[in-house]
């Protein structure tokens, strides 16, 4: 699997949701999943990419690119997330330019998920998906694709979609718990879902907000989170890849490291625009 594909899958699985809460009210914010969902706010964010660890024999010229996302909370109508990921690499096989977009909508209760994905590699469409997934508490879920037409994918009981996965992590962090094991489907594949093991570390020092991009996070609590991803089509003891990041009490994610074993990529938050909060 290419470096572009692996990185994009991780971006989708993390959801990259932000849950802005006024810094002055952070300590009194409700911590249950429903309350956290109601506090999701519309935002725009941009991350730049760099190598955290690499084998120079394979990635001699490094990488360039970024991730942009726009999240909208329509309260009872659900959550909309539009993502675009552009990355240029130069390996022993030559240069490669990947431009990938995912537009998705998720119901507030996590029971429905709609998505459209388009992946363009060196100017040619490499993958295109369009579908809708359903899930019920305790029951198996199902994805029906209109592209590729007529394809269906069974999902296991307990399946989570991206925003719900982020909400569950935040709720556990607020409760002082440190583990979430769950299957996740994000719209990036017609072949299967991913089992994700999430570890929430000890709480970090309160954010000082000394840089402009982190100023909106001043005074907020945060935790280090590490997620391990296991493909659903085989039994295995070790994950295919892992991701570590800093998760703020309002859901903003920063200092992200995608670890593939022989190399790792860092995504750093460069711009963050929090839009006015809707009344839910």
């Amino acid at each position: 699997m290419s470096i572009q594909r692996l990185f994009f899958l991780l971006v989708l699985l993390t959801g990259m949701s932000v849950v802005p809460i006024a810094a002055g009210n952070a300590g009194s914010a409700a911590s249950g999943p429903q309350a956290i969902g109601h506090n999701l706010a519309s935002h725009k964010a941009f991350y730049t990419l760099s190598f955290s660890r690499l084998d120079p024999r394979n990635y001699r010229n490094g990488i360039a690119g970024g991730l942009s996302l726009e999240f909208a909370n329509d309260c009872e109508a659900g959550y909309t997330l539009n993502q675009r990921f552009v990355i240029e690499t130069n390996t022993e096989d030559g240069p490669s330019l990947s431009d990938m977009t995912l537009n998705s909508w998720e119901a507030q209760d996590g029971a429905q998920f709609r998505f459209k994905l388009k992946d363009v590699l060196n100017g040619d469409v490499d993958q295109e998906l369009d579908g809708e997934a359903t899930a019920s508490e305790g029951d198996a879920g199902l994805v029906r694709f209109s592209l590729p037409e007529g394809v269906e994918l069974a999902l296991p009981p307990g399946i989570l979609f991206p925003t719900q996965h982020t909400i569950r992590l935040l709720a556990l962090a607020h409760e002082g718990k440190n583990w979430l094991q769950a299957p996740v489907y994000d719209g990036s594949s017609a072949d299967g879902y991913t089992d994700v093991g999430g570890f929430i570390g000890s709480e970090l020092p309160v954010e000082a907000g000394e840089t402009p991009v982190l100023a909106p996070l001043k005074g907020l609590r945060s935790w280090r989170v590490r997620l391990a991803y296991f493909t659903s089509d085989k039994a295995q003891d070790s994950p295919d890849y892992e991701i570590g990041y800093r998760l703020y009490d309002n859901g903003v994610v920063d200092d992200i490291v995608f670890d593939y074993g022989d190399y790792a990529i860092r995504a750093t938050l460069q711009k963050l625009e929090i839009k006015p909060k809707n009344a839910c």
Side-chain angles (χ1 to χ4, degrees), residues 32 126 199 216 222 228:
D126 186 52
F199 177 76
S222 64

Side-chain angles (χ1 to χ4, degrees), residues 59 172 260:
Y59 298 97
L172 290 174
Y260 309 115

Side-chain angles (χ1 to χ4, degrees), residues 175-194:
E175 294 171 10
K177 299 179 180 179
N178 61 13
W179 182 251
L180 174 63
Q181 181 78 36
V184 178
Y185 183 75
D186 59 9
S188 68
S189 173
D191 301 323
Y193 59 93
T194 306

